[in-house]
């Protein structure tokens, strides 16, 4: 059970980094530091959008429209933090207490 929770923790960390990289890349594209005419940049951007969009979509339906400001990555990062630092450690602790 602990190994499974460690795998979930690792996956949550990977998702966290994907969201951070996507946010930084979106800022770089928005401020024309890099452009999407490059095949590599376009490929990375498309891949990151395809990975993160399923997480953002339900949150975007709930959040009010703020125009150009998208708060859904922030909400997803908050949810990941809660899962990673509160929920999973409590599950692990309860499992360890129950087995002893």
């Amino acid at each position: 059970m602990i190994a499974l929770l460690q795998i979930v923790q690792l996956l949550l960390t990977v998702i966290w980094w994907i969201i951070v990289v996507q946010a930084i890349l979106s800022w770089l594209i928005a401020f024309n530091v890099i452009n999407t005419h490059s095949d590599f940049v376009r490929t990375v951007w498309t891949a990151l959008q395809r990975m993160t969009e399923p997480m953002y979509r339900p949150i975007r339906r709930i959040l009010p429209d703020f125009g150009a400001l998208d708060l859904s990555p922030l909400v997803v990062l908050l949810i990941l933090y809660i899962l990673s630092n509160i929920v999973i450690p409590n599950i692990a602790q309860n499992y360890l207490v129950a087995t002893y």
Side-chain angles (χ1 to χ4, degrees):
M1 179 69 171
I2 299 298
L4 181 63
L5 290 175
Q6 289 174 337
I7 292 170
V8 171
Q9 184 79 25
L10 178 66
L11 290 175
L12 291 175
T13 304
V14 169
I15 293 169
W16 188 87
W17 279 108
I18 288 171
I19 292 171
V20 169
V21 168
Q22 192 235 1
I24 292 171
L25 189 61
S26 72
W27 295 336
L28 293 174
I29 290 171
F31 293 118
N32 289 324
V33 175
I34 58 176
N35 66 27
T36 55
H37 295 298
S38 167
D39 287 337
F40 177 74
V41 172
R42 187 174 45 250
T43 303
V44 170
W45 178 246
T46 303
L48 289 173
Q49 280 188 316
R50 288 183 181 177
M51 284 187 266
T52 57
E53 190 60 33
M55 292 180 282
Y56 297 160
R57 194 175 306 120
I59 294 168
R60 286 181 180 147
R61 278 187 260 151
I62 297 170
L63 286 177
D65 187 22
F66 292 109
L69 184 61
D70 185 15
L71 296 178
S72 57
L74 182 64
V75 173
V76 171
L77 287 176
L78 180 64
I79 292 169
L80 290 174
Y81 177 82
I82 290 169
L83 287 173
S84 179
N85 293 322
I86 297 172
V87 175
I88 291 178
N90 283 336
I91 292 172
Q93 183 180 8
N94 290 339
Y95 176 75
L96 290 175
V97 168
T99 57
Y100 291 115

